[in-house]
Amino acid sequence: MSGANAKMQKFSAPAFSQALEPANGEICPEPNPASPQQILPYKNARPRLLLFDPDPQDREAILHLLPADSYERIPILTLSEIRAAVSAGCRIDGIVMNLETPLERWLDLVSYIKEIRPKVAVILISRLADEELWIESIQRGAYDLLSKPLEKNEFLRVLRNALEKYRSE
């Protein structure tokens, strides 16, 4: 695999310990099943983001919005990979994911993420965004719900604010 294709490889649950290993050689902390919510972000590291969008073109567009020198960007291809990453115990600072139908399944995933890892910033994006969905998303623990197509400056501002909020807590 070369270039962009290597970055878009599919990560299976067992591969997360390697996929989420920091570039500086530190090994991800071992998960603590008793209290995974105590795994805190590293204060001086580039924020590590999981990016989910089932549409390859939209996923690629999100990757291009995020400067590689500012963010560790990890594309995720399935719901089970998001759950595995959240449960694995490795450092995750934020999750950006596209809401798809059925919406209840996605909102349940947001609730699960915030229950297990309350200090992970969750930003949702959707073509279906409306006030009712925004309220439900926030109540489930998402930091924000943005409408597609994403506007770069707004997206980066919301992401930066979300990461700062959870890093400062």
Side-chain angles (χ1 to χ4, degrees):
M1 259 185 205
S2 65
N5 288 338
K7 292 180 183 174
M8 296 302 294
Q9 70 183 359
K10 182 176 178 179
F11 295 115
S12 61
F16 273 111
S17 61
Q18 293 172 348
L20 297 178
E21 189 171 277
N24 64 7
E26 290 181 279
I27 297 174
C28 287
E30 288 296 317
N32 179 352
S35 62
Q37 66 272 20
Q38 293 187 13
I39 299 166
L40 302 175
Y42 299 139
K43 296 286 184 195
N44 298 319
R46 283 183 307 155
R48 179 173 291 152
L49 304 174
L50 303 183
L51 308 172
F52 175 81
D53 197 308
D55 181 276
Q57 290 178 324
D58 286 350
R59 189 171 49 247
E60 192 67 30
I62 294 169
L63 280 169
H64 286 294
L65 290 175
L66 297 165
D69 60 341
S70 298
Y71 299 97
E72 250 183 278
R73 309 164 309 163
I74 302 172
I76 301 294
L77 304 180
T78 68
L79 285 177
S80 60
E81 289 176 342
I82 294 172
R83 282 186 180 270
V86 167
S87 301
C90 292
R91 181 176 63 87
I92 302 168
D93 298 300
I95 300 173
V96 177
M97 63 181 182
N98 179 29
L99 287 176
E100 294 286 315
T101 54
L103 290 175
E104 190 61 33
R105 191 172 93 192
W106 294 95
L107 294 171
D108 286 345
L109 179 59
V110 173
S111 296
Y112 172 79
I113 292 167
K114 297 309 286 186
E115 179 182 321
I116 301 296
R117 305 287 291 278
K119 293 199 176 274
V120 171
V122 177
I123 297 174
L124 305 174
I125 54 177
S126 177
R127 285 185 173 83
L128 309 172
D130 63 15
E131 186 176 350
E132 186 177 319
L133 181 56
W134 182 84
I135 290 169
E136 180 72 16
S137 300
I138 301 304
Q139 288 174 340
R140 298 285 185 113
Y143 180 80
D144 207 343
L145 169 67
L146 301 174
S147 297
K148 279 186 172 182
L150 292 173
E151 192 281 311
K152 181 178 182 172
N153 291 333
E154 178 189 16
F155 173 62
L156 292 176
R157 178 187 53 77
V158 168
L159 179 60
R160 185 177 53 252
N161 291 343
L163 293 171
E164 285 175 11
K165 175 187 177 193
Y166 292 107
R167 281 188 175 201
S168 67
E169 288 182 353

